[in-house]
Amino acid sequence: MSRSGLILAGALVTFAGGIAPARAIETCFHMCLKGKLVSPNIDDQTIRDDMQACKARCDEEQKAQLESDGIAEKVAACVPEKLPDAEMKKVRSASPSIVAFANAFTWDVNNVLTDKIIRQVEITTQNLSLEDITMSAGGTVEPGQSGTFLIRYIADGYPSMRVTTRVKAIYACALEPGAASKPD
């Protein structure tokens, strides 16, 4: 196996939970994806497609949960607002580091905010011309829950891409008192 093949295999094992970081989360996304990353002939496009399929499945499960909680319409109608720096830092410090591989970005977010549903994350990275660009990912993470945000097709051709990508902002919707679902 080539050196790049070994590096990719190591990244996949780490991403799939084989070597779990101390603060790893077993999100719906990861439970779905780890069973798909077992083929010895897997390629980046297949990984991205599997990631998208898992994200879509988990989003549907989240939507069903919000409907069950009776807040789906309120969440769908809300216009997320950028979190103040103090709340953003609170969420970032409670969440593991971002993961970038197969030209995709994922971030497992722990929503430690008791009164807000996280709806979007915004990242800054560089394109292959080393210009800063901003990208965003949508999702829904209720208070006390964890969820994964995914952005596909982040250029990974330049070595510093992985270190220049950073979370720029988190957007959330305020909940009315008593509207939050209870953690499992």
Side-chain angles (χ1 to χ4, degrees):
M1 181 179 272
S2 70
R3 184 173 187 268
S4 62
L6 287 171
I7 292 169
L8 177 60
L12 292 175
V13 168
T14 301
F15 185 75
I19 304 171
R23 298 175 63 189
I25 310 168
E26 194 70 356
T27 63
C28 171
F29 177 81
H30 289 289
M31 288 188 292
C32 173
L33 188 61
K34 82 171 127 173
K36 298 179 182 298
L37 300 178
V38 295
S39 171
N41 299 323
I42 198 164
D43 62 19
D44 285 357
Q45 185 60 47
T46 302
I47 293 169
R48 285 190 298 274
D49 291 345
D50 288 344
M51 291 170 122
Q52 187 64 40
C54 287
K55 178 72 171 129
R57 187 185 108 196
C58 294
D59 286 350
E60 284 299 315
E61 289 178 16
Q62 178 66 37
K63 182 179 177 184
Q65 181 63 48
L66 292 172
E67 288 171 356
S68 172
D69 294 342
I71 60 172
E73 288 181 21
K74 288 181 182 180
V75 171
C78 82
V79 177
E81 295 182 9
K82 185 177 176 180
L83 291 178
D85 283 346
E87 288 181 330
M88 184 174 123
K89 288 176 182 176
K90 189 175 181 180
V91 171
R92 282 181 40 199
S93 69
S95 303
S97 295
I98 63 172
V99 175
F101 79 96
N103 292 32
F105 160 95
T106 63
W107 188 33
D108 297 326
V109 174
N110 286 324
N111 186 356
V112 294
L113 306 174
T114 60
D115 60 345
K116 294 184 176 143
I117 292 180
I118 297 174
R119 295 300 317 268
Q120 179 181 342
V121 297
E122 190 174 80
I123 66 167
T124 299
T125 191
Q126 291 180 333
N127 62 18
L128 293 175
S129 298
L130 301 181
E131 301 164 324
D132 285 345
I133 58 171
T134 300
M135 303 174 89
S136 65
T140 303
V141 185
E142 295 180 77
Q145 300 293 317
S146 299
T148 303
F149 288 87
L150 167 68
I151 301 174
R152 295 173 27 158
Y153 302 111
I154 291 184
D156 198 19
Y158 190 76
S160 72
M161 294 288 173
R162 293 174 195 256
V163 295
T164 62
T165 302
R166 61 202 175 278
V167 176
K168 179 179 180 180
I170 301 171
Y171 294 83
C173 294
L175 288 175
E176 296 173 13
S181 66
K182 288 138 190 85
D184 294 333

